Every structure is written in structure tokens, then in C-alpha cells.
Amino acid sequence: MTRKTPQVEEPSEKELVVENGPKSWAAGVPGVYHSMKPAIEQMGLNRTRKTVMAMNQKDGFDCPSCAWPDPHHRKAFEFCENGAKAVTWEATPITIPSSFWAEHPVSELRSRSEYWLGMQGRLTEPVYKPAGEDHYKPVSWDEALRIVADKLKGLDSPDRAAFYTSGRTSNEAAFLYQLLVRGYGTNNLPDCSNMCHESSGWAMGQTIGIGKATVSFDDYANADLIIIMGQNPGTNHPRMMTELENCKHNGGEIVAVNPLPEAGLRRYKNPQQVNGVIGHGVQIADQFLQIRIGGDMALLQAVSKRVLDAEARKPGTVLDHAFLAEHCEGLEELKEHLARLDESAVLEATGLRSEDIDELAARYLKAEKVIITWAMGITQQKKGVATIKEIINLLLLRGNIGKPGAGASPIRGHSNVQGDRTMGIWEQMPQSFMEALGKEFDFEPPREHGTDAVETINQMRDGEIKVFVALGGNLVAAISDTNAAEAAMENTEMTVQISTKLNRSHAVTGREALILPTMGRTEIDIQESGPQFVSVEDTVCAVHPSWGSVEPVSHQLLSEPAILSRLGKLLVGTKIKADWDGFEKNYDLIRDHISRVVGGCEDYNQRIRQDGGFVLANGPRDSRTFPTPTGKAVLTVNDLEHVQRPAGTLILQSMRSHDQFNTTIYSHNDRYRGIKKGRHVVFVNPDDLAELGLADGQYVDIRGVYEDGEERVVRKFRVVSYPTARGCAAAYYPEANVLVPLNHTAEGSNTPISKAVIVRLEPSLDQAPDSAPPVSAGAARP
Ligand SMILES: Nc1nc2c(c(=O)[nH]1)N[C@H]1C(S)=C(S)[C@@H](COP(=O)(O)OP(=O)(O)OC[C@H]3O[C@@H](n4cnc5c(=O)[nH]c(N)nc54)[C@H](O)[C@@H]3O)O[C@H]1N2
Ligand SMILES: Nc1nc2c(c(=O)[nH]1)N[C@H]1C(S)=C(S)[C@@H](COP(=O)(O)OP(=O)(O)OC[C@H]3O[C@@H](n4cnc5c(=O)[nH]c(N)nc54)[C@H](O)[C@@H]3O)O[C@H]1N2
Ligand SMILES: [Mo]
């Protein structure tokens, strides 16, 4: 393949354009145009046809952009704007040449932006940076893997290493990875889920016995009411919009709870339908509750209280008594607790009016089938776990779990983050899993819990963890407290990144560092036994195969299962009974083990091949069986608390723009929020601006208000007057991660509180655009 050169255009500060306020609708013709143009420009028509148009087809690959499920009756081409961007980013024919490493020292890569790094193209050969040197240099696969294995073998305990996973990893690779890590001897398996839906897993595990959604795909269109909390589906789960539209079409109602009036939650123009492309689209939300950040727990308690009050007025008519009696416990305690709920505290926490909450309660009471969905606005909060327990309370009161058209629906982020957990990527896998694993491979797995993402950074900072291996992702940029995280990463002896593209975690490294390039999901994977597929699990527990559809960008690339088989052979070898060579040749062998170790995956090889896969059993959803210690679903009592904001401060959330995938920046635009050519912005309510004496368009420094002696500040962000909830502000992730203290985490789940940082906005000394040095040098390579 001829090498194409990357075109990296980084806008300067003065180019930033702020259009008038948020867009009132999502998708439509611009959606199609914005994603197809770069695809065709970069890949040409043929590769675009084989990628963008093959995604989510039964014989194609699973879209790497999000965990939203596939419809049973797939259209020839289910268009998704952000799916197309993700695929173009991965399947680009632009590659990094061998000469790149001599031309660009690591210290230079460190001064580059995420955007610049990602735009350099695909990684194609293993590279190694020896201690004390400032350059990576190409090495052979054998040498690279030997360096890693020797280093790990030399540590005084396997717990001196940590093995991170990001959620694009397939089930097969995830299973092999946890096997080699446990075979080596540690449970230090932090993953992106620790920063994502961990709060959902905890809350649901403790209340209904399973940390996964209790809905299936068809339920969305059949619900009477869908309440969407702390989620921006128009950007982050665009294909969900079709199901929301179907729900409305069938007479259902939709309520959005969000501090921001997000475009997709207002009106949606379906790019699949002619009337969506040219007409006004469908109004999505019947009610929009513009909540204060962190107010959801109070809102949910207030709605549950209204449900209980309605029951008290007309006994026997409101609650699902049969369901509560047979399947639940804790009703009396909940009643007693909510009887004391203070409405004024609710109004303060939520910033809403009583009438708005009455209206939501009336909609809830009218509906026979209710789904509540949520994402990061709920999980990345100090009270995230308790808030999700309140979601479960509200659903249980009227039997909205385990019946068609109803249920609890955390919407996962990464396309296989849920499958990775099912396969054993968790620092706290239950003992039953360890026993099955030990029996299957004839060894004694480590039993002590390992480190999660935050604890891994803490232990790297303290010098306890000396080697960091990552199967995908970009931990140093994704985790909170960027300066602390970077210092921790640099304090290690070795970092190893298995990646498709360059990112910050390749530039902020341990003393020795390796990059092991891997094939992506879009690429055809041929091994000794023939073409291979991998498998993934979506947000509603459906497991299906994923087949690559384009030629790999380089024949030097190894697949993730191949890299892990080879590393496993060197590091663990015959210490456990595993056919490492066989795994690489034929992924069926890996799946045979999965069948015997992972509950619910019996006959995996056969079931994954039948009609596009199978759905994992789910007790609460399928039969109202709750695998809790008592066998009942638990209504819980949670003490109300909300985010306190000292005078003169704001509550800052950090969120995704329309043109990024987590730490990967596709462009500097955020079309739905009216931002062009810039990301250093902070959205603030105009009344707050007036109160704080700040002006729209002014430059401010954002300072975290924490008294732990650390200075956390980002400089020269442009203020954008924006209709967010009062007292709240928003900036983009990962730029704002500097401001989130590392040990500022959700109770129970230890997830960084990325959605509620207390900050002060201080006018920047320098108000002239471009007079300060830019954040990154950002020049294009000739
Ligand atoms: N295109 C694209 N798709 C993606 C991703 C991506 O980066 N790009 N990332 C993937 C991943 S890993 C994930 S986890 C998901 C993330 O999907 P989302 O959770 O939708 O992502 P965020 O951008 O973090 O948006 C959080 C939303 O919560 C709202 N919010 C913030 N605080 C509160 C609060 O206190 N209460 C309420 N009710 N709302 C609040 C914000 O205004 C925002 O609308 O998307 C996945 N899909
Ligand atoms: N402030 C703040 N921080 C957050 C969040 C937030 O909302 N606010 N969200 C959190 C959430 S929800 C998440 S999930 C995390 C995300 O954390 P991560 O999952 O660690 O980050 P990503 O940016 O998704 O990782 C992108 C990198 O993965 C690699 N990659 C891509 N595809 C593949 C593949 O197929 N194989 C391999 N081996 N590598 C691949 C590429 O090199 C790419 O640069 O960030 C969290 N951090
Ligand atoms: Mo996520």
C-alpha cells in the first residue's frame, strides 16, 4: 500500500468560533456529510465501502465506537455518523514509517497534542525505548516480547506489575490476557470500566444481583416511558436515537434529565429516513428536566416519594404489590426513609421546581412499562452508586424489572467493555470464577484482589508498581489528575502499550518503554488455521461475532490474541496447562476454554456461530430471579447528599464533544454545541457569568478548589455563555482531567468524580488570543 502523509491542521486560538447556542436537533444530512467526507478522502471509495458500510452487518465487524446493540433486522447499511468516524480513524491507510522514530524524540512527542499524535497514522512495527534514551527504535517482535517477559520475570513479586485493559479488546483477547496475568500471578487488572460504569456494576450487583442491563433490544421501542439520565445519546450512542424514535412512534414518552440541553435529546432527524433527512425530524424529549449537577439522587427520591404518597392516597392501586411481595425486600424501610424526605433539600439539590417533579412522577405513574437509561452523568459522581440504587428503587416500586418494555439500562461506553468483564477482566473476580479458571488450566490463581485504575496510579506513584502493561487505551490521559498520573507513569521502570495508534501514553512513559502495534477490528485476521473472527458483548448482553473486512494496513501487525499468546508462552509457559501456540493458530481453542470457565458461555463456539450470536442469560430480565444473597431484589435506603458549592465557585463537569472518542480527538469542532476550531472552552450559564463578573468570550484560568496542597489549574480557556443549569459549568475531557483530584472518587466504586469538580474561574492575565504559547506545538510534518 502506498504511504499517505498525514494532514494535521491544528487551529490556533484565534480561529475559535462560537456559534449561537446549542443546536436544537441532531443528525440529518450534515451528519452523513460530515462523516463520509473524511472517510472517502482518506480511504478512497473502495476501503470506505468495505468498512463504513460493513459495520454491524452480520458478516461484518462490530462497530468500535460504542456498545449500543444491533437491531435484529439490520438495514443494508445502518448509518451512524460517529461510527463512521471511529472506523475511518482506525482503517486509515496512513501509517507511521520506520524513519519517524529517529526524527521524533519522545520529548518532542510529549509536546504534541492528542490530535497530532492520533493523526500520524497507524502504528505498524514494535518499537523500544531503552532506559536513559529519548528515542524509540524499531525492534523485532521476538525481541520486543522477550524484553517484556524478562522484565516481568525479574520483578520480586507479580504484584509489582499492573495490566490495564481498554474496552475495545475482544472477548478472545480479554480471556487470554486475564489468563496470562493470573498465570503470571497477580489480579492487578485495572480497566477503563473503573472510570466508566463501575458505579453501575456496584449498585446493580448489590440490589438486583447482576451488574448488567435488565432490558433487551426490543424493549426500547416498546416502553411507555424512557427516562434518559446523564447521557448524551445524539453524540455518544447515535444509533440509540433510532430506538427512541421508534418508542415515540409507538406512543411512548421520553424524559431527559441533564444539566445541558443536548441536541439529540431535543429533536432528531433520522439519516436513515427520507423525512428525517429533509423534514423537521422527531421531537425526542416530552419533558426536559434541567437538573443541577449531582442532583439526580434527590430527584429520584422525590419521585419515589410521590409514588409512595399516591399509593397512600389510593391503597392497593399504585405499587406492584404482587411483585414486591414475591421478589423484593426493604419496602418498609424505604417508605419510612422517604416519609422524612425534605422537599426543600430536593429543590436545592436539583435546582428544579416541585411542579416539574410532579410532572415526572405523573408520567411515571401513567406508564405501565418504564425504562431508565443512564451513563456518565450519573456514574462519575461521588454519590453515583447510591444514585443508581435509587434508580433501582424507583423501578422496583412498580415492577419495572423483568417484564417486556421495562428495566434498568446502563448504556455502556466502549464497544466491548461489558464483554471484557464477562471474560474476567476485573481486579475482583469472584472466587467461583477463579476456581473454574484454576481447574481448567491446572494452576492456583492468585486470590487476593488486585488494583483498580486509581489504585494502580497511586501504587505507581509510590513505587510499588514498577511495570505497566496496557492492552489498548490511554490511561495517562483518561484518568483524573493528569499531572499526578503523568508523574506516576514516569516513576515506573517500564511501560508497555499494545495499541493501534499513537497517544499520550506513548509519550509519557516509564524509564524503558515499548509500543506493540496491533490489528484493529476492521482488519481481516488470517492465522494458520484460516480466517479468524472474534466476539463481543453489547450493552444488552448480546454476544456476536466480528469479522474484519479490509486488508491490514501492514503485514507486520499481529492480532491481539497473537501478541498475547506469544507473551503468555514466554512469561507463563508450562506453569499452567495452556496451548499457547494453538491459541494463536485457531481462536476456536480459546473459545473452547471460555465455554468451560465463563458462566453462561457453554458451547460458545457453536452458539456464537448461530444466526449472528446469542444473548447471555440474565436472571432479573428473563425470570425475575435475583441472584442476591437472599434471592430477592433489595430496595435500599440511601442518605441524601448533594454537591456543595461555596460562594463564587461552580460545579464543573467534563464531557465529550461531538468529534472525539474518549481521548482520541477527531477534530476541534463540536457541531451540536456550536463550537468550531477549538476545545479550550468552558460553558457557563449567562446568569452565573453576570454574578461572577465575567464576560462571554473572555479568557479564564480554571482552578480546582481543593485544600490538599496541590495546585490544579488549566489556563486560558474561553468562556462560552451557554444555557447549562445554574451553578454548573462544562469543559471537555481530557483537557479538564488536570482538575480532578486522583483520590476524589465515587463512594463504593472508586470511579473518578469527573462530573463534579468545584472550580473557580479567574480572569486570565492575558486576554489576547494567541499571545500565550499554544498548548501544543502542533505543526504539520512536511
Ligand atoms: N462518539 C463517541 N461515542 C462514544 C464515546 C465518545 O467519546 N465518542 N465514548 C464512549 C464511552 S467509553 C462512554 S462511557 C459513553 C459516554 O457517553 P455519555 O455518558 O453520554 O458521555 P459524556 O459526554 O460524558 O456525557 C455525559 C452527559 O451527562 C450529563 N451530565 C453531567 N453531569 C450530570 C448530572 O449530574 N446529572 C445528569 N442527569 N446529567 C449530567 C452531561 O451534560 C452529558 O450530557 O459513550 C461511548 N460512545
Ligand atoms: N474527565 C473525564 N475523564 C474520563 C471520562 C470523562 O467522562 N471525563 N470518561 C472515562 C471513561 S467513560 C472511559 S471508558 C475512559 C477511557 O479510557 P481508555 O479506554 O483508556 O481511552 P481511549 O481514549 O478510549 O483509548 C484510545 C486508545 O486505544 C487504542 N486503541 C484503539 N483501538 C484499539 C484496539 O482495537 N486495540 C488496541 N490494543 N488498542 C486500541 C489507541 O491507541 C487509542 O489511542 O476515560 C475515562 N476518563
Ligand atoms: Mo466509558
Side-chain angles (χ1 to χ4, degrees):
M1 199 173 293
T2 50
R3 181 178 140 71
K4 291 195 178 185
T5 329
Q7 304 246 312
V8 191
E9 288 164 23
E10 276 186 290
S12 79
E13 222 174 87
K14 64 179 171 223
E15 287 177 80
L16 179 93
V17 181
V18 181
E19 288 172 344
N20 230 349
K23 278 259 175 324
S24 58
W25 53 270
V29 170
V32 180
Y33 171 77
H34 281 281
S35 44
M36 295 308 278
K37 189 169 163 276
I40 294 169
E41 273 173 9
Q42 271 198 30
M43 301 195 289
L45 266 175
N46 200 25
R47 207 167 163 89
T48 303
R49 191 176 50 74
K50 286 186 181 158
T51 50
V52 174
M53 297 171 102
M55 66 187 177
N56 299 324
Q57 296 306 301
K58 277 193 177 146
D59 52 355
F61 59 88
D62 179 69
C63 175
S65 191
C66 76
W68 182 254
D70 301 319
H72 309 299
H73 308 288
R74 300 177 212 207
K75 300 205 175 71
F77 169 41
E78 208 204 12
F79 184 77
C80 169
E81 178 189 350
N82 279 343
K85 289 179 204 158
V87 164
T88 308
W89 186 82
E90 174 176 304
T92 173
I94 297 173
T95 53
I96 293 181
S98 292
S99 57
F100 176 91
W101 307 105
E103 286 164 19
H104 300 276
V106 180
S107 52
E108 185 217 308
L109 298 180
R110 212 177 185 294
S111 72
R112 299 291 190 174
S113 67
E114 283 291 356
Y115 177 70
W116 188 93
L117 292 169
M119 291 300 280
Q120 297 312 302
R122 286 285 299 278
L123 295 156
T124 60
E125 58 191 337
V127 290
Y128 170 54
K129 184 193 92 67
E133 291 190 19
D134 195 19
H135 284 270
Y136 284 104
K137 57 175 192 203
V139 286
S140 69
W141 274 107
D142 284 349
E143 195 182 347
L145 293 170
R146 188 191 47 72
I147 294 170
V148 180
D150 285 351
K151 180 77 200 174
L152 288 167
K153 282 183 183 168
L155 295 176
D156 60 27
S157 151
D159 291 334
R160 299 282 90 86
F163 298 83
Y164 177 72
T165 313
S166 169
R168 271 193 197 176
T169 295
S170 66
N171 282 350
E172 289 74 5
F175 185 82
L176 267 189
Y177 191 50
Q178 64 80 34
L179 175 67
L180 92 82
V181 171
R182 295 191 166 111
Y184 169 61
T186 181
N187 279 315
N188 287 350
L189 281 158
D191 70 345
C192 67
S193 200
N194 297 144
M195 301 177 275
C196 184
H197 266 292
E198 195 72 77
S199 303
S200 308
W202 278 98
M204 296 174 82
Q206 287 168 7
T207 51
I208 60 171
I210 179 169
K212 295 183 178 183
T214 73
V215 294
S216 50
F217 184 79
D218 295 332
D219 290 328
Y220 299 98
N222 292 318
D224 296 332
L225 172 67
I226 301 180
I227 306 177
I228 305 170
M229 305 187 75
Q231 191 200 348
N232 179 18
T235 284
N236 296 315
H237 304 93
R239 289 181 301 127
M240 179 174 173
M241 300 309 299
T242 307
E243 274 348 90
L244 297 179
E245 191 187 32
N246 288 339
C247 171
K248 301 228 45 164
H249 184 78
N250 294 339
E253 292 187 339
I254 289 168
V255 173
V257 183
N258 202 303
L260 291 175
E262 306 283 33
L265 298 175
R266 297 164 85 191
R267 196 169 280 281
Y268 172 61
K269 298 186 185 184
N270 190 338
Q272 252 82 241
Q273 285 173 4
V274 177
N275 63 356
V277 172
I278 56 180
H280 295 290
V282 180
Q283 189 198 325
I284 291 293
D286 297 276
Q287 188 187 2
F288 170 51
L289 289 156
Q290 187 162 33
I291 197 159
R292 226 168 244 165
I293 290 176
D296 303 82
M297 182 182 181
L299 173 67
L300 289 156
Q301 290 194 347
V303 176
S304 287
K305 180 172 169 27
R306 282 161 170 76
V307 170
L308 291 168
D309 289 348
E311 168 73 20
R313 285 194 299 275
K314 281 193 183 169
T317 63
V318 172
L319 302 184
D320 186 337
H321 289 280
F323 172 75
L324 287 165
E326 193 181 340
H327 296 293
C328 305
E329 60 187 11
L331 179 62
E332 288 315 311
E333 293 88 335
L334 180 67
K335 275 187 185 165
E336 214 175 280
H337 183 241
L338 291 184
R340 297 193 304 269
L341 183 68
D342 173 5
E343 181 81 357
S344 65
V346 170
L347 301 185
E348 192 198 319
T350 58
L352 301 170
R353 301 173 311 165
S354 282
E355 302 89 273
D356 301 325
I357 305 176
D358 292 343
E359 185 184 330
L360 174 58
R363 290 181 195 276
Y364 182 74
L365 288 172
K366 189 175 70 178
E368 286 303 317
K369 300 169 286 181
V370 180
I371 292 177
I372 303 183
T373 78
W374 68 92
M376 297 304 103
I378 301 297
T379 62
Q380 297 172 339
Q381 299 282 359
K382 180 175 177 209
K383 288 284 169 185
V385 174
T387 304
I388 296 158
K389 286 184 176 176
E390 294 292 352
I391 291 177
I392 302 294
N393 280 344
L394 180 58
L395 289 170
L396 290 174
L397 286 177
R398 284 180 43 87
N400 277 310
I401 287 189
K403 70 180 179 193
S409 171
I411 308 284
R412 305 275 162 187
H414 263 297
S415 51
N416 196 40
V417 61
Q418 185 161 319
D420 293 343
R421 274 287 162 96
T422 305
M423 294 298 127
I425 302 291
W426 192 25
E427 74 283 354
Q428 311 185 21
M429 278 311 272
Q431 294 306 327
S432 53
F433 178 89
M434 297 301 197
E435 258 146 49
L437 188 72
K439 195 164 148 237
E440 177 74 8
F441 295 97
D442 196 17
F443 78 115
E444 189 46 54
R447 298 296 173 132
E448 245 173 59
H449 289 171
T451 54
D452 63 9
V454 166
E455 183 54 18
T456 297
I457 299 283
N458 274 325
Q459 292 203 12
M460 293 198 295
R461 182 201 54 206
D462 297 344
E464 294 283 316
I465 289 177
K466 297 175 192 303
V467 177
F468 176 77
V469 182
L471 183 55
N474 183 6
L475 181 64
V476 93
I479 192 94
S480 41
D481 225 340
T482 312
N483 295 333
E486 295 196 350
M489 204 58 88
E490 290 182 311
N491 194 35
T492 61
E493 292 176 10
M494 180 184 278
T495 47
V496 183
Q497 304 280 339
I498 303 172
S499 314
T500 51
K501 281 202 157 178
L502 267 187
N503 63 44
R504 183 112 186 126
S505 296
H506 306 109
V508 179
T509 68
R511 281 188 278 290
E512 288 174 85
L514 290 109
I515 305 174
L516 308 178
T518 187
M519 271 165 45
R521 211 181 273 171
T522 50
E523 290 164 310
I524 296 168
D525 181 0
I526 298 183
Q527 303 291 349
E528 250 184 68
S529 69
Q532 305 294 314
F533 68 89
V534 292
S535 53
V536 291
E537 175 184 344
D538 64 29
T539 202
V540 294
C541 314
V543 185
H544 46 91
S546 174
W547 291 91
S549 61
V550 284
E551 279 294 303
V553 284
S554 157
H555 288 287
Q556 268 175 295
L557 288 178
L558 293 181
S559 71
E560 289 181 349
I563 296 170
L564 297 169
S565 305
R566 293 184 192 188
L567 184 60
K569 186 176 175 183
L570 289 176
L571 182 63
V572 185
T574 52
K575 270 189 3 200
I576 71 174
K577 210 177 82 207
D579 178 5
W580 300 106
D581 291 328
F583 296 154
E584 175 173 350
K585 290 179 190 150
N586 184 351
Y587 303 169
D588 277 352
L589 256 66
I590 309 172
R591 285 186 284 265
D592 281 341
H593 289 295
I594 292 175
S595 298
R596 291 188 292 265
V597 174
V598 182
C601 290
E602 299 75 17
D603 299 322
Y604 200 66
N605 265 313
Q606 181 229 324
R607 285 197 293 158
I608 196 72
R609 285 176 163 89
Q610 72 198 12
D611 193 30
F614 65 98
V615 178
L616 284 168
N618 178 313
R621 179 197 63 204
D622 303 337
S623 57
R624 293 186 155 178
T625 312
F626 297 96
T628 55
T630 57
K632 300 226 169 185
V634 192
L635 293 145
T636 52
V637 166
N638 307 290
D639 288 330
L640 184 58
E641 188 184 312
H642 73 276
V643 187
Q644 299 293 335
R645 178 171 70 92
T649 66
L650 295 170
I651 310 171
L652 177 89
Q653 63 151 317
S654 53
M655 76 228 170
R656 293 151 174 82
S657 79
H658 192 61
D659 274 6
Q660 75 181 78
F661 186 89
N662 297 342
T663 66
T664 297
I665 311 302
Y666 301 135
S667 93
H668 295 78
N669 303 336
D670 190 3
R671 197 168 86 245
Y672 293 166
R673 299 194 185 104
I675 303 295
K676 273 191 191 150
K677 300 195 173 183
R679 291 178 51 87
H680 291 103
V681 291
V682 54
F683 299 92
V684 187
N685 183 292
D687 295 337
D688 286 316
L689 284 182
E691 211 175 276
L692 295 169
L694 296 167
D696 187 19
Q698 173 173 3
Y699 288 104
V700 291
D701 298 345
I702 313 177
R703 183 180 297 278
V705 183
Y706 295 92
E707 284 167 4
D708 60 355
E710 298 292 326
E711 178 173 67
R712 295 185 187 85
V713 59
V714 291
R715 299 205 186 270
K716 228 175 164 197
F717 274 49
R718 187 141 147 208
V719 169
V720 177
S721 174
Y722 200 84
T724 181
R726 278 300 306 271
C728 300
Y732 295 125
Y733 140 63
E735 287 81 350
N737 289 39
V738 175
L739 299 167
V740 188
L742 185 63
N743 293 317
H744 195 55
T745 57
E747 288 172 4
S749 64
N750 211 25
T751 296
I753 306 175
S754 305
K755 293 291 187 275
V757 187
I758 306 300
V759 297
R760 214 180 285 284
L761 304 188
E762 303 167 347
S764 299
L765 291 177
D766 171 12
Q767 292 295 328
D770 269 358
S771 51
V775 175
S776 75
R781 201 145 42 86

